[in-house]
Amino acid sequence: MDGNPRSDETPETQAPADSEAEGASADTQAEAAQDGEVARLQAELEASRRRVNELARGLQDLTKDREEFKQRITRERERMLDVERGNVARTLLEAIDELDLVLANSQQDTSPLVQGVRMIRDSLLSKAQATGIERLQVVGRPYDPNVAEAADMEVTPVEGDDQKVVAEFRAGYRLKDRIIRPARVKVARYVAPAQA
């Protein structure tokens, strides 16, 4: 061994072995770099998915809020229209009351004028009912302060008639579920008969 390379070890045979090791090392580094790049891309993809999901939920919430707002505005507009209908109806009902008063004072009169007044009154009442206004039926029923106001009292000896409406001075009306004008009524009050 004089320091000369052996005959089977030539510089040409050593170079391929070194290049194979370097190639394997380069392949490993390339794979590691690719794995790192794949991991980074997967992390970005997952972050992008989370962001898309957040934005989709935000859009759903915004759409839901918008629909709720539209419904609230629609309900408010309907309520305001009902209030205005009620105001107009009260004016119309006062005219009907005045016509009722005229007809009550001329019950025996069968002149064409009275018949014309009756037709006008019936026409106004039917138009009011066509807009959803209902006349309250209170006579013979228990007194309810939510739909009628007591203007008079009548003493009754019948215990079953206590707190029942016996007469109506002015009709009451309702529009949908809202009382636009309470009835004015006479209510029976039970008083036990005196024992002689």
PDB file of all heavy atoms in Angstrom, residues 56-69:
ATOM      1  N   ALA A  56     -69.527  32.445   5.517  1.00  0.00           N
ATOM      2  CA  ALA A  56     -70.834  31.861   5.195  1.00  0.00           C
ATOM      3  C   ALA A  56     -71.789  32.024   6.374  1.00  0.00           C
ATOM      4  O   ALA A  56     -72.961  32.384   6.195  1.00  0.00           O
ATOM      5  CB  ALA A  56     -70.689  30.391   4.825  1.00  0.00           C
ATOM      6  N   ARG A  57     -71.301  31.776   7.612  1.00  0.00           N
ATOM      7  CA  ARG A  57     -72.144  31.974   8.798  1.00  0.00           C
ATOM      8  C   ARG A  57     -72.530  33.444   8.945  1.00  0.00           C
ATOM      9  O   ARG A  57     -73.660  33.780   9.274  1.00  0.00           O
ATOM     10  CB  ARG A  57     -71.427  31.478  10.052  1.00  0.00           C
ATOM     11  CG  ARG A  57     -71.517  29.984  10.242  1.00  0.00           C
ATOM     12  CD  ARG A  57     -71.079  29.568  11.641  1.00  0.00           C
ATOM     13  NE  ARG A  57     -69.686  29.921  11.912  1.00  0.00           N
ATOM     14  CZ  ARG A  57     -68.645  29.152  11.611  1.00  0.00           C
ATOM     15  NH1 ARG A  57     -68.823  28.006  11.016  1.00  0.00           N
ATOM     16  NH2 ARG A  57     -67.430  29.541  11.919  1.00  0.00           N
ATOM     17  N   GLY A  58     -71.565  34.323   8.686  1.00  0.00           N
ATOM     18  CA  GLY A  58     -71.859  35.758   8.747  1.00  0.00           C
ATOM     19  C   GLY A  58     -72.920  36.151   7.737  1.00  0.00           C
ATOM     20  O   GLY A  58     -73.835  36.930   8.034  1.00  0.00           O
ATOM     21  N   LEU A  59     -72.826  35.615   6.538  1.00  0.00           N
ATOM     22  CA  LEU A  59     -73.820  35.894   5.503  1.00  0.00           C
ATOM     23  C   LEU A  59     -75.188  35.352   5.901  1.00  0.00           C
ATOM     24  O   LEU A  59     -76.210  36.026   5.716  1.00  0.00           O
ATOM     25  CB  LEU A  59     -73.378  35.305   4.163  1.00  0.00           C
ATOM     26  CG  LEU A  59     -74.322  35.526   2.986  1.00  0.00           C
ATOM     27  CD1 LEU A  59     -74.481  37.022   2.715  1.00  0.00           C
ATOM     28  CD2 LEU A  59     -73.816  34.811   1.753  1.00  0.00           C
ATOM     29  N   GLN A  60     -75.216  34.144   6.469  1.00  0.00           N
ATOM     30  CA  GLN A  60     -76.486  33.567   6.933  1.00  0.00           C
ATOM     31  C   GLN A  60     -77.095  34.433   8.031  1.00  0.00           C
ATOM     32  O   GLN A  60     -78.301  34.693   8.028  1.00  0.00           O
ATOM     33  CB  GLN A  60     -76.276  32.142   7.446  1.00  0.00           C
ATOM     34  CG  GLN A  60     -76.020  31.129   6.360  1.00  0.00           C
ATOM     35  CD  GLN A  60     -75.648  29.771   6.921  1.00  0.00           C
ATOM     36  OE1 GLN A  60     -75.300  29.642   8.099  1.00  0.00           O
ATOM     37  NE2 GLN A  60     -75.697  28.754   6.070  1.00  0.00           N
ATOM     38  N   ASP A  61     -76.270  34.873   8.969  1.00  0.00           N
ATOM     39  CA  ASP A  61     -76.767  35.734  10.045  1.00  0.00           C
ATOM     40  C   ASP A  61     -77.294  37.049   9.491  1.00  0.00           C
ATOM     41  O   ASP A  61     -78.347  37.543   9.909  1.00  0.00           O
ATOM     42  CB  ASP A  61     -75.662  36.012  11.076  1.00  0.00           C
ATOM     43  CG  ASP A  61     -75.288  34.781  11.883  1.00  0.00           C
ATOM     44  OD1 ASP A  61     -76.070  33.803  11.865  1.00  0.00           O
ATOM     45  OD2 ASP A  61     -74.213  34.792  12.520  1.00  0.00           O
ATOM     46  N   LEU A  62     -76.572  37.610   8.541  1.00  0.00           N
ATOM     47  CA  LEU A  62     -76.996  38.865   7.927  1.00  0.00           C
ATOM     48  C   LEU A  62     -78.316  38.688   7.184  1.00  0.00           C
ATOM     49  O   LEU A  62     -79.220  39.519   7.292  1.00  0.00           O
ATOM     50  CB  LEU A  62     -75.909  39.369   6.973  1.00  0.00           C
ATOM     51  CG  LEU A  62     -76.128  40.731   6.335  1.00  0.00           C
ATOM     52  CD1 LEU A  62     -76.191  41.808   7.410  1.00  0.00           C
ATOM     53  CD2 LEU A  62     -75.025  41.027   5.352  1.00  0.00           C
ATOM     54  N   THR A  63     -78.451  37.589   6.456  1.00  0.00           N
ATOM     55  CA  THR A  63     -79.695  37.304   5.729  1.00  0.00           C
ATOM     56  C   THR A  63     -80.847  37.099   6.706  1.00  0.00           C
ATOM     57  O   THR A  63     -81.950  37.611   6.485  1.00  0.00           O
ATOM     58  CB  THR A  63     -79.513  36.054   4.847  1.00  0.00           C
ATOM     59  OG1 THR A  63     -78.420  36.280   3.958  1.00  0.00           O
ATOM     60  CG2 THR A  63     -80.760  35.756   4.049  1.00  0.00           C
ATOM     61  N   LYS A  64     -80.589  36.389   7.792  1.00  0.00           N
ATOM     62  CA  LYS A  64     -81.618  36.159   8.812  1.00  0.00           C
ATOM     63  C   LYS A  64     -82.048  37.483   9.441  1.00  0.00           C
ATOM     64  O   LYS A  64     -83.246  37.750   9.599  1.00  0.00           O
ATOM     65  CB  LYS A  64     -81.079  35.211   9.883  1.00  0.00           C
ATOM     66  CG  LYS A  64     -82.046  34.891  10.974  1.00  0.00           C
ATOM     67  CD  LYS A  64     -81.407  33.977  12.000  1.00  0.00           C
ATOM     68  CE  LYS A  64     -82.287  33.807  13.202  1.00  0.00           C
ATOM     69  NZ  LYS A  64     -81.613  33.071  14.271  1.00  0.00           N
ATOM     70  N   ASP A  65     -81.073  38.335   9.799  1.00  0.00           N
ATOM     71  CA  ASP A  65     -81.389  39.646  10.377  1.00  0.00           C
ATOM     72  C   ASP A  65     -82.190  40.491   9.403  1.00  0.00           C
ATOM     73  O   ASP A  65     -83.125  41.187   9.800  1.00  0.00           O
ATOM     74  CB  ASP A  65     -80.105  40.387  10.763  1.00  0.00           C
ATOM     75  CG  ASP A  65     -79.409  39.781  11.966  1.00  0.00           C
ATOM     76  OD1 ASP A  65     -80.036  38.957  12.655  1.00  0.00           O
ATOM     77  OD2 ASP A  65     -78.239  40.128  12.196  1.00  0.00           O
ATOM     78  N   ARG A  66     -81.839  40.429   8.127  1.00  0.00           N
ATOM     79  CA  ARG A  66     -82.555  41.196   7.101  1.00  0.00           C
ATOM     80  C   ARG A  66     -84.012  40.736   7.000  1.00  0.00           C
ATOM     81  O   ARG A  66     -84.931  41.555   6.934  1.00  0.00           O
ATOM     82  CB  ARG A  66     -81.845  41.031   5.760  1.00  0.00           C
ATOM     83  CG  ARG A  66     -82.467  41.803   4.637  1.00  0.00           C
ATOM     84  CD  ARG A  66     -81.610  41.660   3.368  1.00  0.00           C
ATOM     85  NE  ARG A  66     -82.308  42.181   2.239  1.00  0.00           N
ATOM     86  CZ  ARG A  66     -82.973  41.440   1.358  1.00  0.00           C
ATOM     87  NH1 ARG A  66     -83.009  40.146   1.486  1.00  0.00           N
ATOM     88  NH2 ARG A  66     -83.595  42.000   0.340  1.00  0.00           N
ATOM     89  N   GLU A  67     -84.222  39.416   7.010  1.00  0.00           N
ATOM     90  CA  GLU A  67     -85.588  38.881   6.927  1.00  0.00           C
ATOM     91  C   GLU A  67     -86.396  39.271   8.164  1.00  0.00           C
ATOM     92  O   GLU A  67     -87.569  39.638   8.057  1.00  0.00           O
ATOM     93  CB  GLU A  67     -85.565  37.357   6.759  1.00  0.00           C
ATOM     94  CG  GLU A  67     -85.091  36.902   5.397  1.00  0.00           C
ATOM     95  CD  GLU A  67     -85.934  37.458   4.254  1.00  0.00           C
ATOM     96  OE1 GLU A  67     -87.167  37.458   4.360  1.00  0.00           O
ATOM     97  OE2 GLU A  67     -85.339  37.908   3.265  1.00  0.00           O
ATOM     98  N   GLU A  68     -85.782  39.181   9.342  1.00  0.00           N
ATOM     99  CA  GLU A  68     -86.467  39.575  10.569  1.00  0.00           C
ATOM    100  C   GLU A  68     -86.819  41.065  10.536  1.00  0.00           C
ATOM    101  O   GLU A  68     -87.895  41.467  10.970  1.00  0.00           O
ATOM    102  CB  GLU A  68     -85.614  39.248  11.796  1.00  0.00           C
ATOM    103  CG  GLU A  68     -85.523  37.771  12.083  1.00  0.00           C
ATOM    104  CD  GLU A  68     -84.546  37.449  13.195  1.00  0.00           C
ATOM    105  OE1 GLU A  68     -83.878  38.376  13.715  1.00  0.00           O
ATOM    106  OE2 GLU A  68     -84.434  36.264  13.548  1.00  0.00           O
ATOM    107  N   PHE A  69     -85.914  41.877  10.022  1.00  0.00           N
ATOM    108  CA  PHE A  69     -86.163  43.313   9.909  1.00  0.00           C
ATOM    109  C   PHE A  69     -87.332  43.567   8.960  1.00  0.00           C
ATOM    110  O   PHE A  69     -88.218  44.376   9.257  1.00  0.00           O
ATOM    111  CB  PHE A  69     -84.897  44.024   9.416  1.00  0.00           C
ATOM    112  CG  PHE A  69     -85.076  45.498   9.229  1.00  0.00           C
ATOM    113  CD1 PHE A  69     -85.179  46.339  10.324  1.00  0.00           C
ATOM    114  CD2 PHE A  69     -85.150  46.043   7.956  1.00  0.00           C
ATOM    115  CE1 PHE A  69     -85.346  47.702  10.165  1.00  0.00           C
ATOM    116  CE2 PHE A  69     -85.321  47.403   7.777  1.00  0.00           C
ATOM    117  CZ  PHE A  69     -85.421  48.235   8.887  1.00  0.00           C
TER     118      PHE A  69
END
